[in-house]
Amino acid sequence: MAALDQTQVKEGIDQETVDTVREVGGAYKYGWETEIEMEYAPKGLSPDIVRLISEKNEEPEWMTEWRLQAYERWLTKEEPNWAMVDYPEIDFQDQYYYARPKSMEVKPKSLDEVDPKLLETYKKLGIPLKEQMILAGVEGAEDAPAEGRKVAVDAVFDSVSVGTTFQAELKAAGVIFCSISEAIREHPELVKKYLGTVVPVSDNFYATLNSAVFSDGSFVYVPPGVRCPMELSTYFRINAENTGQFERTLIIADKGSYVSYLEGCTAPARDIAQLHAAVVEIIVEEDAEVKYSTVQNWYPGDENGKGGIYNFVTKRADCRGDRSKIMWTQVETGSAVTWKYPSCILRGNESQGEFYSIAIANNYQQADTGTKMVHLGKNTKSRIVSKGISAGHAQNTYRGLVSMHPKAKNARNYTQCDSLLIGNKCGAHTVPYIEVKNNSARVEHEATTSKVDDEQLFYCRSRGMDEEEAVALVVNGFCKDVLQALPMEFAMEAQQLVAISLEGSVG
Amino acid sequence: MLNIKNLHVQLEDEDKQILKGVDLTVEAGKVHAIMGPNGSGKSTLSYVLSGKGGYEVTDGSATLDGESLLELEAEERAAAGLFLAFQYPVEIPGVGNMTFLRTAVNAQRKARGEDEMSAAEFLKEVRATAKSLKIDADMLKRPVNVGFSGGEKKRNEILQMAMLSPKMCILDETDSGLDVDAMKLVAEGVNALRDENRGFLVITHYQRLLDHIKPDVVHIMANGRIIKSGGPELALEVENNGYADILAEVE
Ligand SMILES: Nc1ncnc2c1ncn2[C@@H]1O[C@H](COP(=O)(O)OP(=O)(O)O)[C@@H](O)[C@H]1O
Ligand SMILES: [Mg+2]
């Protein structure tokens, strides 16, 4: 039975997907907001705000200093404008940089002190029942049978991590999975050693901003030789109004270890655009492997392009050790503006980087996304599979860099970049940058652009599917290579999202 | 069952009349065949009945069991029991044949207010049906029609027809491009579905398919009209003398 379910998912759209879409009935599914009393730092950015954030997180002095230096750097930097996106100027002084549920003011000692409204939020976010129970601090929840596979969850609500599940079980395996603020307090040696080593403080405008004001995020450390016993997952949610969210994620896979990490994001529907500038750093040591999957479903704005999340994210993995491996998989359906290039630094010899991406832009969404594969070591390999879908008036750009450095002897890259257009008011662009500095390296690039074909839609409809089902089916087929790269739970969610985010794109 | 009266159809973008008053009734349990020269409007008739866009009905009507088809969306016609086996089945890359079929079966069930088929139930049924049509299980896993041979594509249409069990089946040149063996398989599939509650409209160019699917009535279509109807012997007449005599007779 399990095997059967698996086949069905991998083959394309599932019936449940279609049902869910029906139930949701058109609107952005996560557009509700939770009425929770919030505590805000004053609007705007200053050294005092930076200190306040640091203080609220009970950070040691070195961390405060690190942030303040980042803040000074940020003042000297300019917002990048090379991406193929267009949005009104952001007033960085008109934002809240810190918001957290009042009930978290005193850190809950156990999860049953967590505001029930927060827990209600997890439920709506589709966090599995067992994790909800654990997040809710239900006694004995850890021992209750989990439905299906275990997934440890860290939930970040606005700026604050509100709880992590399965901590004990992970600890027994030697895995540290906690909020980054906790890691700064409890594991300063690890944080000091790795923070900012993949994405330096001064890397880019948004990363520098994040370094100054990040309020929370997730931290993972997998010790040498350990295969993490379950999927790790973080749910990010922006709830408060006018609040930027700046999470910071740090993942370290020590020698010979393995971990699969999932990240899901949502935000309420609001007229005013909101800023999200996260930084994710991944360190992969010798023979280690990390899978990082994202289903990004931030509020995309309404059908006229009002509101939505500006998603300016820096994600980078450093394959430091020989034979290390990173695999990024992303499903980008949300955000008004997306600016995101999960990258792989292939430093170790024979290290491998893979990037699988589905980016859907509908209505007035703008997505400029892709990857960077920087080959430094010998015999390094990378593979890029990008599926861009544009509908409505949306613009979707794939921007990818493949760089073969002089020492990257016999390095290989294969890039496949497919665009699908729905309707004739949208656009798809492919911008590959290729730099080859040694002649034993090989770079292959294939690109296609196609349209959702009326013949295909009629064929599906003549068999009984309505137009939206038909589009979802055809598009899920187009994305199949990438959907297959996702863990099971996410593959289901991703298929639903594909369907939901394309509603109203035809007819 | 299927009632077509005085059906006039032109292209939506172009002032070109294709069907010029088609009258046709197919009763439940009967097999009607339509023959006719290329370009006479046979495929157009099948498309208009099943709800394809791009055509405009300027006059006439078409009903299935008394319900007017022409106002319905394509998927509503399917749920009402109409099925078209395509002359050129469409490829859908990345979508497994099985997923496609299950989505279709359940969409129709849902539209009719019936319970959906569970994955297990469906799997059992589709395997049995495929076997009876001598379809390799491997074909169920492959993406819809992608890389299928001509014969496989047509057999896949018959498989869909069998799984959806429609009231009224239209087959558009299902035999064209098939060798004798493949055509026999297709004909056997159709014959297995014949029963007193189901009607068939078999569009074909050649008599030979009608050796295997014995029609009750044969119609000759030319220039957007049914110009002659008769028994199976009419097909033989076409086979022996071509359309010229019949056309001349009507002129
Ligand atoms: N979408 C279309 N655009 C232009 N001409 C069309 C279109 N559909 C049908 N026709 C024309 O209508 C006539 C009938 O075509 P068709 O129904 O395919 O005939 P048959 O199936 O009998 O060979 C032909 O002249 C054909 O060229
Ligand atoms: Mg034809």
Side-chain angles (χ1 to χ4, degrees):
Chain A
M1 192 62 217
L4 171 64
D5 286 344
Q6 193 151 350
T7 330
Q8 307 269 316
V9 173
K10 298 244 157 159
E11 267 186 22
I13 199 165
D14 200 74
Q15 191 53 47
E16 286 94 60
T17 304
V18 175
D19 299 341
T20 315
V21 173
R22 282 269 161 63
E23 279 163 27
V24 169
Y28 175 70
K29 185 176 168 188
Y30 302 98
W32 37 267
E33 78 186 274
T34 312
E35 273 181 47
I36 288 180
E37 246 195 294
M38 298 297 290
E39 181 200 19
Y40 291 96
K43 260 187 188 175
L45 197 48
S46 67
D48 282 347
I49 292 288
V50 173
R51 275 195 205 92
L52 178 103
I53 294 168
S54 187
E55 199 177 298
K56 289 276 179 193
N57 285 339
E58 296 164 38
E59 286 173 359
E61 186 60 31
W62 61 267
M63 196 64 231
T64 318
E65 272 312 307
W66 197 83
R67 288 173 177 278
L68 285 167
Q69 276 171 24
Y71 173 74
E72 292 301 326
R73 287 301 278 270
W74 181 71
L75 291 177
T76 68
K77 290 187 100 77
E78 292 206 12
E79 234 181 307
N81 59 5
W82 43 262
M84 216 176 273
V85 294
D86 186 21
Y87 53 93
E89 203 178 331
I90 300 171
D91 183 351
F92 289 92
Q93 296 301 339
D94 193 34
Q95 297 266 335
Y96 291 107
Y97 288 87
Y98 190 81
R100 70 173 176 188
K102 260 231 163 105
S103 60
M104 305 291 289
E105 204 170 337
V106 179
K107 301 247 164 170
K109 286 182 193 58
S110 68
L111 286 158
D112 47 24
E113 289 175 25
V114 172
D115 190 330
K117 287 203 184 108
L118 264 182
L119 299 168
E120 187 59 30
T121 304
Y122 303 142
K123 200 166 145 195
K124 288 199 205 166
L125 289 173
I127 293 178
L129 184 69
K130 174 152 189 190
E131 278 71 49
Q132 274 178 49
M133 278 162 66
I134 297 169
L135 286 167
V138 176
E139 220 169 306
E142 289 261 6
D143 307 321
E147 328 102 275
R149 203 140 46 105
K150 276 186 196 170
V151 181
V153 178
D154 181 30
V156 176
F157 196 82
D158 287 321
S159 305
V160 180
S161 168
V162 292
T164 310
T165 60
F166 289 113
Q167 290 240 35
E169 207 168 326
L170 288 167
K171 206 169 168 188
V175 175
I176 305 171
F177 179 40
C178 62
S179 70
I180 192 133
S181 57
E182 189 181 332
I184 290 166
R185 292 191 302 271
E186 307 293 330
H187 309 282
E189 67 302 334
L190 286 172
V191 177
K192 264 192 204 169
K193 183 171 169 193
Y194 292 107
L195 186 74
T197 63
V198 184
V199 179
V201 167
S202 59
D203 191 79
N204 69 72
F205 183 84
Y206 302 110
T208 311
L209 176 63
N210 173 288
S211 301
V213 302
F214 76 84
S215 24
D216 218 333
S218 294
F219 176 85
V220 177
Y221 174 76
V222 190
V226 171
R227 205 183 155 82
C228 186
M230 63 187 84
E231 309 262 0
L232 303 182
S233 165
T234 299
Y235 277 86
F236 292 114
R237 169 131 185 114
I238 297 181
N239 195 62
E241 217 164 335
N242 282 334
T243 304
Q245 178 145 336
F246 306 94
E247 339 73 54
R248 184 106 195 173
T249 300
L250 181 58
I251 297 173
I252 302 134
D254 217 324
K255 289 180 185 171
S257 69
Y258 168 84
V259 64
S260 168
Y261 182 90
L262 322 173
E263 176 201 272
C265 329
T266 61
R270 291 190 198 288
D271 288 351
I272 299 165
Q274 284 178 284
L275 178 63
H276 174 252
V279 171
V280 175
E281 294 182 277
I282 302 179
I283 292 103
V284 197
E285 300 285 12
E286 208 173 276
D287 294 309
E289 182 178 346
V290 175
K291 281 190 183 160
Y292 191 107
S293 314
T294 308
V295 173
Q296 185 268 107
N297 182 25
W298 297 118
Y299 178 56
D302 69 11
E303 64 278 9
N304 300 313
K306 205 164 176 208
I309 299 289
Y310 293 165
N311 192 30
F312 303 134
V313 172
T314 307
K315 294 186 169 188
R316 196 172 301 155
D318 188 353
C319 286
R320 289 197 184 158
D322 292 350
R323 296 168 304 278
S324 56
K325 197 173 167 192
I326 173 76
M327 178 169 149
W328 295 103
T329 307
Q330 62 171 26
V331 179
E332 299 284 318
T333 65
S335 294
V337 180
T338 298
W339 182 97
K340 180 180 170 189
Y341 316 91
S343 308
C344 306
I345 313 293
L346 302 173
R347 201 182 300 279
N349 293 329
E350 277 146 66
S351 60
Q352 290 182 34
E354 290 175 16
F355 174 77
Y356 296 92
S357 170
I358 298 170
I360 299 182
N362 193 3
N363 296 321
Y364 286 86
Q365 281 178 274
Q366 305 172 60
D368 194 302
T369 183
T371 185
K372 288 181 201 166
M373 293 290 174
V374 181
H375 292 252
L376 300 174
K378 270 182 265 177
N379 300 316
T380 46
K381 270 195 215 152
S382 64
R383 181 185 172 84
I384 299 170
V385 179
S386 161
K387 305 277 177 179
I389 298 124
S390 322
H393 293 82
Q395 294 297 323
N396 204 334
T397 302
Y398 168 81
R399 189 183 300 276
L401 167 75
V402 176
S403 174
M404 301 294 192
H405 283 242
K407 286 188 182 144
K409 296 277 183 277
N410 294 312
R412 296 279 179 272
N413 162 265
Y414 172 73
T415 300
Q416 183 195 328
C417 200
D418 299 321
S419 304
L420 185 69
L421 302 173
I422 303 174
N424 49 19
K425 295 187 195 84
C426 53
H429 317 275
T430 302
V431 191
Y433 303 88
I434 299 171
E435 299 167 3
V436 181
K437 292 177 192 140
N438 82 70
N439 53 21
S440 62
R442 292 280 171 279
V443 178
E444 265 180 88
H445 181 98
E446 283 177 32
T448 65
T449 301
S450 50
K451 282 193 106 168
V452 170
D453 182 345
D454 286 344
E455 300 286 329
Q456 288 174 332
L457 294 183
F458 174 62
Y459 191 61
C460 294
R461 295 179 68 189
S462 77
R463 299 301 180 247
M465 297 168 220
D466 66 27
E467 194 158 37
E468 278 172 357
E469 264 177 315
V471 171
L473 192 81
V474 171
V475 174
N476 270 313
F478 171 77
C479 298
K480 190 188 175 202
D481 298 350
V482 176
L483 288 171
Q484 278 183 332
L486 284 169
M488 263 291 285
E489 295 85 349
F490 264 28
M492 303 272 270
E493 197 179 330
Q495 289 191 346
Q496 293 180 16
L497 273 179
V498 167
I500 293 169
S501 49
L502 287 171
E503 276 179 3
S505 63
V506 283
Chain B
M1 168 161 269
L2 179 67
N3 261 292
I4 305 167
K5 287 210 182 82
N6 193 32
L7 192 64
H8 284 72
V9 171
Q10 66 179 43
L11 291 176
E12 218 167 51
D13 308 335
E14 219 179 297
D15 194 19
K16 182 175 174 187
Q17 193 79 24
I18 300 174
L19 299 184
K20 301 166 183 168
V22 174
D23 287 285
L24 181 67
T25 298
V26 180
E27 310 81 8
K30 301 289 185 210
V31 175
H32 286 227
I34 299 187
M35 302 179 78
N38 264 329
S40 55
K42 304 183 297 294
S43 291
T44 303
L45 177 64
S46 69
Y47 285 146
V48 170
L49 290 174
S50 46
K52 191 177 187 183
Y55 301 101
E56 191 185 338
V57 176
T58 51
D59 201 2
S61 65
T63 59
L64 182 62
D65 285 340
E67 186 182 10
S68 172
L69 289 173
L70 301 175
E71 287 79 43
L72 300 181
E73 299 287 350
E75 61 270 24
E76 293 168 330
R77 301 180 198 202
L82 188 73
F83 181 89
L84 169 63
F86 282 52
Q87 183 171 1
Y88 305 106
V90 181
E91 300 184 1
I92 310 181
V95 177
N97 217 5
M98 193 111 81
T99 305
F100 178 80
L101 253 177
R102 189 156 89 97
T103 310
V105 166
N106 281 336
Q108 290 202 14
R109 286 181 160 228
K110 211 164 158 186
R112 291 194 290 255
E114 299 163 11
D115 279 345
E116 289 180 20
M117 239 190 219
S118 75
E121 233 180 309
F122 175 80
L123 197 66
K124 215 170 118 193
E125 190 160 332
V126 77
R127 284 203 178 130
T129 311
K131 201 169 164 198
S132 74
L133 292 168
K134 302 198 174 71
I135 286 175
D136 194 3
D138 183 53
M139 209 168 103
L140 297 172
K141 292 184 197 142
R142 284 155 60 190
V144 182
N145 293 323
V146 178
F148 284 27
S149 70
E152 283 176 329
K153 281 186 181 169
K154 298 297 171 79
R155 264 188 292 158
N156 197 30
E157 295 291 289
I158 304 302
L159 171 68
Q160 292 179 17
M161 187 164 91
M163 287 300 293
L164 293 166
S165 59
K167 283 197 271 197
M168 179 68 218
C169 309
I170 305 173
L171 290 85
D172 190 2
E173 300 211 19
T174 299
D175 54 330
S176 63
L178 299 191
D179 58 32
V180 178
D181 290 340
M183 191 180 65
K184 271 189 186 159
L185 276 175
V186 165
E188 278 169 25
V190 172
N191 287 331
L193 287 173
R194 284 179 81 157
D195 76 31
E196 74 244 23
N197 300 317
R198 186 170 281 143
F200 285 88
L201 188 57
V202 179
I203 298 171
T204 181
H205 225 65
Y206 305 104
Q207 147 67 21
R208 58 172 199 174
L209 179 67
L210 303 180
D211 285 341
H212 300 283
I213 306 174
K214 295 261 181 321
D216 298 295
V217 184
V218 174
H219 308 274
I220 307 297
M221 189 164 182
N223 196 16
R225 273 192 205 95
I226 305 278
I227 54 164
K228 190 168 183 182
S229 303
E233 71 288 348
L234 191 52
L236 285 171
E237 193 185 324
V238 169
E239 179 79 353
N240 295 331
N241 309 326
Y243 294 107
D245 288 358
I246 299 170
L247 285 172
E249 194 183 304
V250 175
E251 284 300 300

